[in-house]
Amino acid sequence: MRIVIKIGTSTLTYAGGFVNIRRIEALCKAVSDIKNAGHEVILVSSGAIGMGVGKLHLSKKPSDIAGKQACAAVGQCELMYTYDKLFGEYNHTVAQILLTAPDLSCEDRLAKFSNTMSWLLGYGVLPIINENDTVSTEEIEFGDNDTLAARVAVSAKADLLVLLSDIDGLYTADPHTSRDAALITEVRELDDEIMALGGSAGSALGTGGMVTKLRAARIATEAGCDMIITNGESPENLYAVLDGVAVGTRFYAKRN
Ligand code: GLU
């Protein structure tokens, strides 16, 4: 199985931007084990801006584009250094791929992306993708890695997209404010009612929220790829996904 796993900033870092070592270690271990079991994995990892904020000892994420891009440039090094070190402990080699939106919509660039991915996966390398934040501008940016992950899953013809979030999945209402909120375990039709559950919540360092996850679900499922939203706090959720145990919310691909 070829599986794209997206990890959000709030899963990787504490609120101040410092690396959540316990979490990231558990995740790297789970992903390494999944690779050892014979699956092809592509990681889409956020965290560059957040780790830049931590590394630069800023009190919060800058609000201007240049500030965010500068934080991403600093934090991306820290992010890849951490992954290289931790995956290296399990004998896995990582590769950094930074993309902007046109890279996956322009035919020529897409062909180059696909060739490079095939080569890396063929050699057992773990590609780790993030947006090329330094050169992304408002007009061309993915803006959030949920959309990027969905576009990567489609372009790489993945069988499954897993979004690791700081929430268990899609709820009938905001679980932070509503006691009656119930987890929706499966979605077979992304109708207006489901799309309306998106809301706008996101973390202080990250960019996405449920709304970008539902947009990602639309991109993935329309292209024939199942998508799961589950909690990144427990890497055991990744084992469960691969063992066919229901966790989080599964969005079923449209089969034509
Ligand atoms: N590319 C951004 C980063 O690495 C993340 C965007 C997002 O939060 O989805 O910090």
Side-chain angles (χ1 to χ4, degrees):
M1 183 139 97
R2 181 171 290 181
I3 166 169
V4 173
I5 301 171
K6 183 259 171 175
I7 305 174
T9 302
S10 55
T11 302
L12 296 171
T13 66
Y14 290 103
F18 293 113
V19 184
N20 185 328
I21 297 171
R22 183 169 34 174
R23 182 87 50 74
I24 202 167
E25 276 186 349
L27 277 165
C28 291
K29 186 174 174 184
V31 170
S32 296
D33 198 49
I34 289 169
K35 276 179 65 60
N36 286 354
H39 299 289
E40 287 182 338
V41 182
I42 298 167
L43 275 192
V44 173
S45 179
S46 302
I49 297 174
M51 285 195 189
V53 169
K55 189 105 184 169
L56 291 164
H57 299 283
L58 304 181
S59 57
K60 60 178 174 47
K61 180 164 111 175
S63 52
D64 61 314
I65 293 272
K68 284 183 206 159
Q69 289 176 318
C71 285
V74 171
Q76 182 65 26
C77 303
E78 176 86 343
L79 188 62
M80 286 310 296
Y81 169 73
T82 308
Y83 280 134
D84 194 24
K85 192 160 72 101
L86 295 177
F87 281 113
E89 287 177 11
Y90 298 102
N91 287 321
H92 286 293
T93 302
V94 300
Q96 172 184 260
I97 298 179
L98 299 177
L99 295 173
T100 53
D103 297 334
L104 296 181
S105 38
C106 157
E107 211 177 302
D108 184 46
R109 292 191 201 187
L110 179 59
K112 290 188 169 68
F113 167 78
S114 301
N115 292 341
T116 307
M117 291 298 278
S118 300
W119 199 99
L120 290 169
L121 293 171
Y123 275 83
V125 175
L126 173 64
I128 303 182
I129 299 177
N130 197 355
E131 179 154 11
N132 191 352
D133 289 311
T134 306
V135 295
S136 287
T137 67
E138 225 161 330
E139 301 82 57
I140 61 164
E141 71 191 355
F142 290 105
D144 67 89
N145 278 3
D146 297 322
T147 309
L148 171 65
R151 298 274 307 278
V152 164
V154 173
S155 304
K157 299 188 173 39
D159 303 294
L160 180 66
L161 168 63
V162 181
L163 302 184
L164 293 179
S165 183
D166 52 4
I167 191 162
D168 289 339
L170 178 65
Y171 281 83
T172 52
D174 185 345
H176 302 109
T177 52
S178 167
R179 277 168 164 228
D180 302 329
L183 181 70
I184 300 173
T185 54
E186 53 180 61
V187 174
R188 290 181 187 272
E189 184 71 46
L190 273 166
D191 53 21
D192 292 347
E193 210 178 313
I194 293 286
M195 292 309 280
L197 296 174
S200 61
S203 70
L205 288 175
T207 308
M210 198 44 77
V211 70
T212 58
K213 288 173 181 53
L214 290 176
R215 275 190 222 130
R218 179 157 273 171
I219 295 169
T221 56
E222 280 182 0
C225 178
D226 279 16
M227 187 187 106
I228 293 173
I229 301 173
T230 186
N231 206 319
E233 255 178 52
S234 330
E236 291 72 29
N237 284 336
L238 281 176
Y239 298 125
V241 165
L242 270 295
D243 291 343
V245 177
V247 283
T249 305
R250 186 175 194 118
F251 298 81
Y252 285 89
K254 285 196 174 163
R255 318 256 177 229
N256 297 317

